[in-house]
Amino acid sequence: GAKKYSASSSEDEMRARKRQGYRMMCVTLSSQLLSLLDAFIFPDSLDTSLPASQLHGLALVRSTEPRLGQAQGPLLASLLRLSLVLLSHLEPSSVKFLQCCGRLRCFLHWALELIRESVALGGYSAAFQELTAPLDRLVLAVVLQCHRALAKCSNVLKEIESSPSNKYFSSSDLRQKNYRRLFRATFELREIVLAAYRGRNEVLRSALSLQAYEALQAGLEEITAPNRQKGGVTAREASLRAFMTNSWVQGFHDVEIKDDLAIPEQVSNGQMYRGRLSSTRGCVAIEELAFESASIIDEYNRALDSPFEKYCEDQRQWAETDAVRDLEYEGDLSVKRLGQGHRNDLVEINRLASLRADSAANRWDAIDRLSSWVDYYAKNSDNLNVRHWKLSRHVDRLHRRILLVPNRHYVSHDDASYEGTLGRERERNTKRLSAQTLRQARKSFYDDVADIDNEDPDDNIEEYGEISSRNNDAQNDSISSGMEKPTSEIEENEGMSGRSDSETASDWDQALTASNEALVDDIDSDEKDANAWAKSFIWSAREHIVQSFDSVLLVTLRSLTEGQLLLTTHNIYFHPTEDEINVMTREKMSHPSKRRRDNERRDKRWRLSRLTEVHGRRYMLRAQALELFFADAQELFINFNGGAKIRDNFYAKLRHNCKVCKPVTLKGCM
């Protein structure tokens, strides 16, 4: 219910905004049209009491009188409608409102003149007859709009007089100007109502309710001639104030909604007043005015659509000619012929591509079998003269280098291998570590011996058993933990055994050297066993391991592979530890007997020198994945099963320890 209410309220607000925009557009266009027509309609003098002014306007109006029965109406009807639009939306104290009131007063005099001519021609003066009905309805509309405008003027006058002068106006002169314009506009509106009352009283008597007509008649009869009164206020101003306080101006502002049509309260619609029942002629006139407005809109739409409809009709007639049919038939044949040729070309291209792929696959299988045979006999036969192969310089018809030829000048480069270089470097590090440890042990030993010589022999004998047991435990712990603890306790134990200094130093030198060598060998062997798969690739000269990440998932469009990720200063290596799983079926894609061979083939490497972008991604709704983009159009999507913390650790290592990758930033990590 709340959603429906919010949707309906938003629709109402949108409809109100559109209506406000249309209203502003109508007001602007009406003002511009009337301003343009002023030079052609009005004479040099706007005084309607002069005969020249009346004849000038009636000469233009009479020329359009034969069109009075059409929906658009004559020129005078259009001018009255435009003036009513401005009168209902302009500010009462503005200059344009005053101009609109003066213009509407002149238009009403011309309409009343035409009504008098029609009455004289028809011989009757009843309201809403066949000849005078369109203009009678416009006279009623003018009186109703003047009633609304007088109410607005009265409210504005009350607000100006009851508010400080600086609330709405910047100066007293500006306030006085608006004050005078307001009274002049009120005077023009009263004169318009008075002219309609005197010139076409039959329309007001039949269209207004009995109470409204009585109030209007009482307000108009109070008008007196202008003369000076007390306080410097003219009689005209007093008369205008009295007219604005009349019950007709102050009341009758309600409307009745009937079939989406607003009918004013003062229009006769069968109301009962003082035992008398009013007619329904006013309500019928309002409905006829609404129908005329709808007819004007329909006629305007038809006028806008008629050129396009005429163009469509001309195009339809032209399309039905024989020449157009022949062109369409030839075009259809050309399209079908070209489409069939395109389909045949696609079939031929796919067939040739399939043949080339099958041929390349067969040749590659043959080369794979041959290389497997050579590897097998090279490992199992010492006397076999192994031949090395390379790609031929010659190409086939498709410019492919797919033939292998013997490499008669093969060089193994064993002396420059990475394994040998890494082994020698480790030996140097081990020797340096052993020498440093030995120097520290000797220094600590001689310091402890000097302390023992200075102590009391009896105390040493009493504490000998406790010290010996503690030193034996320290010796075992230091050897098992890679000499992480100092050797002062071990040397103290040896000093208490009573052996000579030279023999003790010699024995401990041998023990420390042996333990360090064993420790380094254990560490090297563990690292070598754990990362031996990465040594199948050719490493750079200064490349070394940064960190290894277990339980990493390599994600592609077809499969998921879980394995180990190794990050170095120059590359990223991936070694699968589980079978490749199909994304759609969740089944293994390789047989268990071929797992080892497939893992060796599926070891992959990505060069960090080609890394361009790193983006944080979500995998299975968890922000624990990364997507890496490389300059050679390769992409790498990896998911860290350990969580976002492991992912961030990998990115930090990648950014701070890799020497060849460009500066990248983690983007889109959510």
Side-chain angles (χ1 to χ4, degrees):
K3 292 183 178 179
K4 291 182 179 180
Y5 176 75
S6 61
S8 61
S9 62
S10 62
E11 291 178 358
D12 294 340
E13 291 178 359
M14 185 178 297
R15 192 180 300 109
R17 286 197 296 269
K18 288 184 178 180
R19 188 171 183 180
Q20 182 66 22
Y22 295 154
R23 185 181 295 111
M24 293 177 61
M25 187 184 302
C26 291
V27 171
T28 304
L29 291 176
S30 301
S31 177
Q32 293 179 357
L33 287 174
L34 291 175
S35 299
L36 290 174
L37 293 175
D38 283 347
F40 302 96
I41 295 177
F42 296 103
D44 296 335
S45 176
L46 295 179
D47 190 1
T48 56
S49 60
L50 298 178
S53 175
Q54 296 180 0
L55 293 176
H56 180 82
L58 288 175
L60 294 174
V61 173
R62 287 193 181 95
S63 62
T64 59
E65 187 179 354
R67 294 192 297 138
L68 193 63
Q70 297 183 4
Q72 182 63 24
L75 177 62
L76 182 59
S78 301
L79 295 175
L80 285 172
R81 291 178 184 274
L82 292 176
S83 300
L84 292 178
V85 170
L86 292 180
L87 189 67
S88 60
H89 294 96
L90 292 178
E91 289 294 332
S93 61
S94 62
V95 178
K96 289 186 176 295
F97 185 83
L98 181 59
Q99 294 176 354
C100 177
C101 293
R103 192 184 294 117
L104 180 62
R105 182 182 176 186
C106 185
F107 293 157
L108 180 62
H109 280 288
W110 295 346
L112 294 175
E113 184 67 24
L114 289 178
I115 291 174
R116 283 192 290 270
E117 292 180 1
S118 300
V119 168
L121 181 64
Y124 52 84
S125 61
F128 302 105
Q129 294 298 325
E130 182 179 1
L131 292 178
T132 61
L135 291 178
D136 287 342
R137 288 191 290 267
L138 288 176
V139 170
L140 176 62
V142 168
V143 173
L144 294 177
Q145 287 295 337
C146 288
H147 174 259
R148 290 187 58 193
L150 285 169
K152 288 195 299 183
C153 291
S154 176
N155 294 331
V156 172
L157 181 62
K158 291 178 181 179
E159 182 67 20
I160 292 176
E161 291 179 346
S162 61
S163 301
S165 59
N166 57 355
K167 183 176 181 180
Y168 300 105
F169 307 102
S170 59
S171 61
S172 58
D173 295 338
L174 185 60
R175 180 177 181 274
Q176 191 66 23
K177 288 181 180 179
N178 284 269
Y179 195 77
R180 288 196 297 269
R181 281 198 297 268
L182 187 61
F183 271 105
R184 290 176 60 188
T186 304
F187 176 76
E188 293 290 340
L189 292 173
R190 192 189 66 174
E191 292 299 320
I192 292 172
V193 175
L194 183 61
Y197 177 77
R198 292 175 178 175
R200 199 59 177 160
N201 192 19
E202 297 83 359
V203 174
L204 300 181
R205 185 184 296 109
S206 61
L208 296 180
S209 64
L210 297 176
Q211 184 179 1
Y213 180 77
E214 182 178 347
L216 175 62
Q217 185 178 11
L220 294 177
E221 289 177 354
E222 294 177 358
I223 301 175
T224 58
N227 49 21
R228 283 284 176 183
Q229 292 186 357
K230 296 181 181 180
V233 179
T234 61
R236 189 173 75 172
E237 182 177 347
S239 177
L240 290 176
R241 289 181 179 274
F243 181 72
M244 284 190 290
T245 57
N246 180 262
S247 59
W248 181 75
V249 176
Q250 298 297 326
F252 307 101
H253 296 301
D254 293 338
V255 293
E256 179 184 358
I257 304 300
K258 181 180 180 181
D259 297 333
D260 295 335
L261 181 64
I263 300 177
E265 179 187 3
Q266 61 179 333
V267 173
S268 60
N269 192 17
Q271 297 95 335
M272 181 67 68
Y273 179 71
R274 293 183 180 179
R276 293 184 299 172
L277 182 66
S278 62
S279 64
T280 59
R281 185 58 201 168
C283 181
V284 174
I286 296 298
E287 293 176 353
E288 291 175 351
L289 278 173
F291 179 76
E292 287 183 1
S293 300
S295 302
I296 291 172
I297 295 174
D298 294 339
E299 183 180 355
Y300 179 73
N301 292 331
R302 287 194 299 270
L304 290 179
D305 296 339
S306 59
F308 180 72
E309 293 176 354
K310 183 178 179 181
Y311 170 76
C312 292
E313 182 66 21
D314 295 341
Q315 292 295 319
R316 186 186 62 78
Q317 293 177 0
W318 176 76
E320 292 178 355
T321 59
D322 295 336
V324 175
R325 292 195 185 96
D326 295 339
L327 290 176
E328 291 178 352
Y329 179 73
E330 293 176 359
D332 293 339
L333 291 179
S334 300
V335 170
K336 291 180 180 178
R337 184 176 63 256
L338 293 175
Q340 186 63 32
H342 177 66
R343 288 190 291 271
N344 296 335
D345 293 340
L346 289 178
V347 172
E348 184 66 18
I349 290 172
N350 293 331
R351 187 181 67 82
L352 293 177
S354 178
L355 291 176
R356 287 196 297 268
D358 294 341
S359 178
N362 294 333
R363 184 172 292 275
W364 179 255
D365 291 340
I367 294 171
D368 190 14
R369 288 194 299 271
L370 179 60
S371 61
S372 301
W373 178 82
V374 171
D375 292 340
Y376 174 77
Y377 279 97
K379 294 178 181 178
N380 296 279
S381 179
D382 297 334
N383 299 325
L384 182 63
N385 186 12
V386 179
R387 301 179 64 184
H388 298 277
W389 303 86
K390 66 178 181 179
L391 289 174
S392 175
R393 294 180 300 173
H394 306 287
V395 297
D396 59 357
R397 291 179 300 174
L398 299 178
H399 302 281
R400 298 178 300 179
R401 296 176 59 192
I402 60 175
L403 299 178
L404 292 178
V405 297
N407 186 4
R408 304 184 186 277
H409 304 285
Y410 174 75
V411 180
S412 61
H413 299 286
D414 292 335
D415 297 337
S417 65
Y418 178 74
E419 290 292 337
T421 304
L422 184 60
R424 289 192 293 271
E425 184 177 356
R426 288 178 178 174
E427 290 177 0
R428 289 194 297 269
N429 293 336
T430 303
K431 291 180 180 180
R432 185 169 61 254
L433 178 62
S434 300
Q436 184 178 1
T437 305
L438 181 58
R439 286 194 299 270
Q440 293 178 357
R442 285 179 179 178
K443 182 179 179 181
S444 179
F445 173 75
Y446 287 117
D447 292 341
D448 292 341
V449 169
D451 294 339
I452 291 172
D453 292 340
N454 296 328
E455 291 178 358
D456 190 0
D458 296 335
D459 296 337
N460 294 334
I461 292 172
E462 292 176 0
E463 299 176 359
Y464 174 76
E466 182 181 357
I467 295 174
S468 298
S469 60
R470 185 173 66 252
N471 289 339
N472 290 331
D473 296 337
Q475 180 182 356
N476 296 330
D477 294 339
S478 63
I479 293 175
S480 61
S481 60
M483 301 305 292
E484 295 177 355
K485 296 183 179 181
T487 58
S488 60
E489 296 180 0
I490 301 174
E491 293 175 356
E492 182 181 356
N493 187 19
E494 290 295 336
M496 294 296 294
S497 64
R499 298 179 62 183
S500 62
D501 295 343
S502 60
E503 292 176 358
T504 303
S506 177
D507 293 342
W508 274 107
D509 289 343
Q510 296 177 3
L512 290 173
T513 303
S515 62
N516 287 334
E517 290 178 356
L519 176 61
V520 173
D521 293 339
D522 292 340
I523 295 173
D524 292 343
S525 62
D526 293 341
E527 292 181 355
K528 184 175 181 181
D529 294 340
N531 302 321
W533 56 270
K535 301 303 187 300
S536 59
F537 297 94
I538 300 176
W539 284 38
S540 301
R542 298 182 180 179
E543 183 177 5
H544 62 272
I545 298 175
V546 176
Q547 190 171 349
S548 177
F549 298 88
D550 297 331
S551 185
V552 177
L553 191 64
L554 178 62
V555 183
T556 62
L557 293 177
R558 295 179 60 252
S559 62
L560 305 174
T561 307
E562 186 172 355
Q564 179 184 1
L565 191 70
L566 181 63
L567 175 64
T568 67
T569 56
H570 291 71
N571 300 288
I572 297 176
Y573 300 90
F574 179 79
H575 174 65
T577 58
E578 299 293 339
D579 289 336
E580 189 175 5
I581 299 175
N582 193 302
V583 176
M584 301 298 295
T585 62
R586 294 294 177 177
E587 297 179 355
K588 296 181 179 180
M589 300 177 64
S590 62
H591 196 270
S593 61
K594 299 182 181 180
R595 182 182 303 169
R596 182 176 181 181
R597 183 177 178 183
D598 292 341
N599 287 345
E600 293 176 357
R601 292 182 180 177
R602 287 187 290 142
D603 290 345
K604 298 181 181 180
R605 177 178 69 176
W606 295 270
R607 298 185 181 277
L608 294 178
S609 59
R610 301 175 183 175
L611 181 63
T612 58
E613 293 183 8
V614 180
H615 292 266
R617 296 294 188 231
R618 288 181 180 268
Y619 180 75
M620 302 297 287
L621 300 179
R622 296 180 179 178
Q624 58 185 21
L626 284 178
E627 187 171 10
L628 290 77
F629 297 89
F630 298 86
D632 53 357
Q634 291 190 16
E635 299 178 3
L636 173 60
F637 192 100
I638 50 179
N639 177 55
F640 296 87
N641 296 332
K645 185 176 180 180
I646 305 300
R647 189 271 308 269
D648 297 339
N649 185 22
F650 172 80
Y651 173 71
K653 296 291 185 181
L654 175 65
R655 184 169 183 180
H656 295 96
N657 294 301
C658 298
K659 308 301 181 183
V660 295
C661 57
K662 299 179 180 179
V664 294
T665 56
L666 185 60
K667 303 177 181 178
C669 184
M670 299 176 290

